[in-house]
Amino acid sequence: MKNFTSISSSSKPKFQQLIEHIINSIEDGTLLRGQRLPSINEVSESSGIARMTVTKAYDELRELGLVTSHHGKGFYVASTDTRNQLNIFVLFDALTPFKEILYDSLIAELGESINVNIFFHHHNLKVFENLLMNNLGNYNFFVVMPHFKEDVTHILQKIPREKLLILDIDAPNLGDDYAILCQDFEQNIFQGLTEAKDLIKKYQTLSLVLSSKSFQYTPIGIINGFERFCNENKISYEIISNLEEEEHLQKDHAYLVFRENDLVRFINWSNKKHWKLGEDIGLLSYDDTPIKEILAEGISVISNDFSIMGKRAAKMILSREKGRFVNNCYFIERKSL
């Protein structure tokens, strides 16, 4: 096998470099199925890598199904099929239309050869923890949406950081040695509302509808960004827990709504009152989906690009890229505002 002298010169973690070195050696035919690998001591001495780091890399390769070990004899190449090296556990809070776009984009970018299974915690902390802890030995990579008001750092830290991608929402108590791809909810909502400011100012009040009785989770950043925008621009506002009654709608008011069920009820109630969206009453939604382009001649949205997020997540998984990255957000003007 090729020597290990190039490993220490890269900025990547050494165990990850060693994994990639061995996978590359398998792919270029230097290592064949059944061939013995250098021992942990041999690799450590020739490369200057700590024995513990070499052990970690070999354990990872064993989990990937590429390496096997025989007691007293050493490590051997178990498979040369490096395409099937990832078995990914995906944990979302819920499957909403825009998260379906994210998931489909992730799967398409990863490719058909990688196995992916998806689970949902529905903001139940016990379900979240049990799903992760019961599957730690069954998968070699985890993609997790930790959508909770509570700090779940202690649970996330039970997953080896090199096997974890935190998606959609930040985990601020984890450092940049983790892989985190998220939205900056406070900045996104503030920026989107700022871009829509002239349209919003047509109305007497801007209301944020939380849908707190449903599976809809509203990050605190949304509320902070909403209040900051309204206060800085001297816009009258209110925060509504749930949109339950037709009487909640008021003419010459604008509403920021999350759930698609709430959107449909909002439009239905507005039609009953013979109010035209974008004139008599304003409607703005968070997160774009194809149906919002055509519903009621188009719903204005502030949205993350979930297709781009899915592609970026797949690339981070495949490259094992670490760091904290924020996905872009934008405002789309349509007739509802």
Side-chain angles (χ1 to χ4, degrees):
M1 191 171 73
K2 301 171 186 176
N3 63 51
F4 301 97
T5 56
S6 63
I7 288 180
S8 61
S9 62
S10 172
S11 59
K12 283 186 180 180
K14 289 184 174 58
F15 90 95
Q16 184 60 42
Q17 293 181 61
L18 179 55
I19 290 170
E20 292 175 0
H21 182 87
I22 293 174
I23 289 175
N24 289 338
S25 296
I26 292 172
E27 290 178 340
D28 68 16
T30 304
L31 282 174
L32 304 176
R33 190 171 184 272
Q35 187 171 339
R36 183 181 179 277
L37 293 170
S39 70
I40 291 172
N41 284 336
E42 288 170 343
V43 175
S44 179
E45 289 171 4
S46 65
S47 66
I49 300 174
R51 291 185 75 261
M52 185 178 297
T53 302
V54 181
T55 301
K56 184 178 181 181
Y58 274 21
D59 285 344
E60 174 85 359
L61 288 162
R62 187 163 43 191
E63 288 183 19
L64 294 174
L66 296 175
V67 167
T68 187
S69 60
H70 300 292
H71 184 68
K73 294 184 177 181
F75 296 86
Y76 295 82
V77 178
S79 171
T80 57
D81 188 1
T82 58
R83 296 171 303 168
N84 296 320
Q85 61 181 286
L86 280 175
N87 188 28
I88 302 176
F89 175 98
V90 174
L91 182 56
F92 281 10
D93 54 341
L95 188 60
T96 56
F98 51 89
K99 286 172 186 167
E100 188 172 359
I101 294 171
L102 168 61
Y103 181 74
D104 288 346
S105 176
L106 173 70
I107 295 298
E109 191 71 19
L110 285 172
E112 295 180 357
S113 64
I114 293 177
N115 179 58
V116 180
N117 291 324
I118 187 168
F119 302 84
F120 305 95
H121 59 74
H122 297 293
H123 314 294
N124 184 314
L125 190 58
K126 194 65 178 175
V127 170
F128 176 80
E129 183 171 16
N130 285 342
L131 281 171
L132 288 174
M133 296 306 101
N134 292 339
N135 283 285
L136 279 181
N138 300 330
Y139 296 85
N140 50 41
F141 203 91
F142 295 79
V143 179
V144 180
M145 284 186 181
H147 281 276
F148 292 97
K149 292 184 175 69
E150 301 94 331
D151 180 14
V152 294
T153 302
H154 65 290
I155 299 174
L156 295 172
Q157 287 176 326
K158 294 178 182 178
I159 305 169
R161 68 189 67 191
E162 66 275 6
K163 300 180 181 181
L164 174 63
L165 171 63
I166 296 167
L167 192 59
D168 195 45
I169 190 166
D170 194 9
N173 290 326
L174 297 179
D176 289 341
D177 51 346
Y178 279 82
I180 301 173
L181 177 59
C182 62
Q183 300 186 58
D184 184 338
F185 289 100
E186 180 170 347
Q187 182 57 32
N188 285 353
I189 198 73
F190 181 84
Q191 176 185 323
L193 291 172
T194 299
E195 292 177 23
K197 180 172 64 175
D198 291 341
L199 297 170
I200 292 169
K201 283 194 169 182
K202 297 189 303 184
Y203 304 96
Q204 295 177 12
T205 296
L206 177 62
S207 298
L208 174 64
V209 181
L210 298 181
S211 303
S212 58
K213 288 186 177 180
S214 71
F215 286 135
Q216 177 67 47
Y217 168 73
T218 307
I220 189 63
I222 291 282
I223 298 172
N224 292 342
F226 174 81
E227 291 183 330
R228 179 159 66 95
F229 165 78
C230 293
N231 289 327
E232 288 187 11
N233 291 281
K234 297 180 172 54
I235 291 174
S236 176
Y237 71 92
E238 63 176 343
I239 297 176
I240 302 173
S241 295
N242 293 283
L243 197 64
E244 295 180 305
E245 303 292 339
E246 185 176 335
E247 289 69 27
H248 284 169
L249 299 193
Q250 298 183 57
K251 193 175 183 180
D252 297 323
H253 287 228
Y255 297 80
L256 173 55
V257 177
F258 286 80
R259 294 180 67 232
E260 293 205 352
N261 285 345
D262 286 343
L263 284 179
V264 173
R265 287 196 295 172
F266 186 102
I267 294 166
N268 186 37
W269 292 341
S270 298
N271 288 340
K272 285 181 179 179
K273 295 175 181 291
H274 304 290
W275 291 346
K276 185 170 179 58
L277 296 185
E279 295 180 10
D280 301 307
I281 194 168
L283 176 59
L284 178 62
S285 182
Y286 196 85
D287 290 324
D288 198 21
T289 59
I291 196 170
K292 293 177 186 178
E293 295 184 45
I294 59 174
L295 189 64
E297 300 183 278
I299 306 298
S300 295
V301 294
I302 299 169
S303 185
N304 177 54
D305 192 322
F306 286 97
S307 179
I308 290 177
M309 179 177 267
K311 291 177 182 177
R312 179 65 190 278
K315 290 176 180 176
M316 290 179 69
I317 292 168
L318 295 173
S319 68
R320 301 297 178 94
E321 184 178 8
K322 299 293 183 292
R324 181 174 272 99
F325 304 94
V326 178
N327 213 55
N328 292 332
C329 193
Y330 50 86
F331 168 67
I332 300 176
E333 178 183 347
R334 297 184 182 129
K335 291 187 176 181
S336 69
L337 195 60

